[in-house]
Amino acid sequence: MHSILRNRKVQIAGQAVVITALVGGAGSFVALNKSVNLTVDGQSEQVRTFGSTVGDVLAAQGLEVDERDAVQPGADTRIERDMNIVLNTAKDLDLTVDGIALDEWTTANTVGQALADLGVEAEGAEVSLPLDETLTEDGATVDVVTPKGVTVVADGEQKIVEATAATVSEVLSEAGIEVAGEDIVSAPLTAPVTDGQVLDVLRVKSETKSVEEKIEKKTTVKESASLDRGETKVEEKGKDGVREVVYDIRTVDGAEVKKEKVSEKVVAEPVDAVVVKGTRAPEPTPAPERDSSSDSKKDSQDSTGGSEKKKDSQDSTGGSEKKKDSSKKTDSDEGGNSGKKAPDVDDGSVWDRLAQCESGGNWSINTGNSYYGGLQFSSQTWKGFGGGKYAPNAHQATREQQIDIAKKVQKQQGWGAWPACTRKLGIR
């Protein structure tokens, strides 16, 4: 509270003025002595003065006016009877608004007036002192937290918080959002917040996780002369192994951002697969059947050739020998075509070209070299791929039946099943 009592020196000076006035006469005393209303920092008092200006009145009351003080009217204004003089002294203010510290001063007399003068909206705000609290020259410390709307995004949800919160931490508390040790907030917890600000809270999780992983089996290839070249056989299927791996995993809002292997151990060893690959070269391709014209010529020669005629004559008289020839049959000639229909094949197909190379295009050829038909099947191959449903041997089957079985062989063994002719024809 500012005192407006006169100090000792002022009282002495006033007495001197009074004595002078008395010496000068009563009329002069009355003319010089004026009554004024003096208000200092909101406290009013009526005083009498012999001074001629506002400054004289303030000086007579022992009031030293600082350059920051507000005086109404000005110090040089001449005194009039019953005039009002107002002095509002400057007061230092330690002001904090929403966590931001400010060094301010004011000539206001109350906290509310000071905030209004400084442009701080006090309505709806939290103020550390009552708005009608009187300010003194000693100053004051005032904390103000203004209301704000802050958007908080956390755990997949968005919340709008209307609160008189000064810091990020206070806003999150108002929103009911807890922040764990590793969680990340888009602003420091102690940072001040502003109206309309958006705060993101990212959930960080670190965990140790054990998983089983597959160990791929290896495949070993062995060569064998017991299989034709191009043929393969699985000797051992093999099996994948299993390893147990321990990872340190870090996630942010469920998304993995770091994965570090800690340890691993083999639970089940893999078993290698083994595949046997044939290296046996195919048997030579049989020579094409002789031209029918040369056979006719030979038959003609035989019909006139004495030795052959003699043989026929001998055969005609040698009953036992003739009987023996007529009863002789090969195993490959036993049985006949089953008559089962095979898929149709267009003329001029690749199989016709291949048969022309292999057997001169003779689909019923049997030269006695253990290879039969237009595509020269061995008995083992013919029966192994289901040819038996058509005929005991390939030369007894139709073109279409032979091609049907040949397609099965090609699908498994490739064109290498007919190595020389497919190379010659440019098929492979």
Side-chain angles (χ1 to χ4, degrees):
M1 184 71 65
H2 197 293
S3 176
I4 60 172
L5 297 177
R6 299 178 180 85
N7 59 30
R8 182 62 180 167
K9 292 181 178 179
V10 172
Q11 291 176 351
I12 295 174
Q15 291 172 358
V17 172
V18 171
I19 294 171
T20 302
L22 292 175
V23 173
S28 298
F29 178 82
V30 172
L32 292 174
N33 188 14
K34 301 181 184 68
S35 175
V36 297
N37 299 313
L38 177 62
T39 302
V40 179
D41 290 335
Q43 295 187 17
S44 298
E45 182 180 357
Q46 190 177 63
V47 298
R48 304 189 70 83
T49 181
F50 293 98
S52 60
T53 65
V54 170
D56 293 338
V57 174
L58 297 177
Q61 300 300 318
L63 299 172
E64 296 182 4
V65 180
D66 186 87
E67 62 180 3
R68 298 185 303 172
D69 294 344
V71 180
Q72 291 292 336
D76 295 332
T77 304
R78 295 190 64 78
I79 293 297
E80 295 180 3
R81 192 176 303 279
D82 296 327
M83 76 182 301
N84 294 315
I85 301 173
V86 179
L87 171 63
N88 288 319
T89 60
K91 307 160 189 75
D92 291 323
L93 202 64
D94 291 331
L95 178 63
T96 301
V97 180
D98 292 331
I100 300 175
L102 304 169
D103 289 329
E104 299 287 350
W105 62 274
T106 182
T107 57
N109 297 320
T110 66
V111 172
Q113 291 172 349
L115 295 178
D117 289 347
L118 295 172
V120 178
E121 180 60 56
E123 185 176 355
E126 289 185 1
V127 184
S128 61
L129 295 176
L131 295 180
D132 59 357
E133 177 89 8
T134 300
L135 297 176
T136 68
E137 287 185 80
D138 294 332
T141 299
V142 182
D143 292 327
V144 180
V145 180
T146 62
K148 307 166 199 70
V150 181
T151 301
V152 180
V153 181
D155 303 319
E157 297 182 357
Q158 179 174 296
K159 294 182 179 180
I160 298 179
V161 180
E162 299 285 350
T164 52
T167 65
V168 171
S169 178
E170 292 174 2
V171 170
L172 295 178
S173 179
E174 288 280 348
I177 302 297
E178 294 184 1
V179 179
E182 290 190 283
D183 291 343
I184 299 173
V185 183
S186 57
L189 294 178
T190 57
V193 290
T194 58
D195 189 38
Q197 186 173 354
V198 177
L199 296 176
D200 291 302
V201 180
L202 305 178
R203 299 302 189 186
V204 180
K205 185 177 180 181
S206 296
E207 63 176 341
T208 301
K209 190 174 182 181
S210 177
V211 297
E212 287 191 349
E213 296 181 353
K214 180 172 68 175
I215 305 174
E216 295 282 352
K217 65 185 178 184
K218 296 180 180 179
T219 300
T220 301
V221 179
K222 298 195 308 185
E223 295 184 342
S224 172
S226 63
L227 295 177
D228 288 338
R229 188 179 303 155
E231 288 188 58
T232 59
K233 182 177 71 173
V234 177
E235 187 176 273
E236 173 64 60
K237 290 184 178 180
K239 186 178 180 181
D240 292 329
V242 178
R243 69 162 70 83
E244 185 179 60
V245 186
V246 178
Y247 290 101
D248 277 344
I249 300 175
R250 181 181 175 88
T251 59
V252 176
D253 276 356
E256 185 178 295
V257 296
K258 184 179 180 182
K259 184 177 182 180
E260 185 176 4
K261 185 188 292 185
V262 177
S263 64
E264 68 173 82
K265 67 178 179 179
V266 176
V267 178
E269 294 285 354
V271 178
D272 291 350
V274 180
V275 176
V276 180
K277 179 180 179 182
T279 61
R280 182 174 62 195
E283 297 184 20
T285 303
E289 188 177 10
R290 291 173 296 180
D291 192 283
S292 58
S293 61
S294 62
D295 289 342
S296 299
K297 185 177 179 181
K298 182 177 180 181
D299 291 341
S300 176
Q301 291 174 347
D302 289 344
S303 65
T304 57
S307 58
E308 187 66 21
K309 188 175 183 180
K310 182 178 179 181
K311 181 178 180 183
D312 292 341
S313 176
Q314 290 174 346
D315 289 342
S316 66
T317 59
S320 60
E321 187 67 21
K322 186 174 182 180
K323 184 178 180 182
K324 180 178 180 183
D325 290 339
S326 64
S327 64
K328 183 178 181 182
K329 290 184 179 180
T330 63
D331 292 339
S332 61
D333 289 333
E334 292 180 357
N337 195 297
S338 66
K340 290 185 178 180
K341 183 174 175 57
D344 293 335
V345 182
D346 293 336
D347 291 336
S349 71
V350 67
W351 299 107
D352 290 314
R353 292 169 54 210
L354 186 56
Q356 187 64 40
C357 177
E358 290 285 348
S359 63
N362 187 349
W363 293 94
S364 60
I365 189 171
N366 176 11
T367 62
N369 66 345
S370 300
Y371 289 89
Y372 306 93
L375 298 172
Q376 293 293 281
F377 288 98
S378 67
S379 295
Q380 179 182 358
T381 301
W382 176 255
K383 293 176 181 177
F385 284 87
K389 69 181 178 180
Y390 293 129
N393 259 314
H395 71 287
Q396 297 168 294
T398 66
R399 167 179 173 271
E400 289 75 14
Q401 291 170 341
Q402 292 183 48
I403 291 175
D404 182 36
I405 301 305
K407 287 180 178 179
K408 293 180 172 60
V409 175
Q410 192 275 333
K411 184 177 181 181
Q412 179 169 321
Q413 299 184 4
W415 290 111
W418 300 272
C421 281
T422 52
R423 190 179 296 111
K424 178 179 178 181
L425 294 173
I427 297 174
R428 67 183 180 96

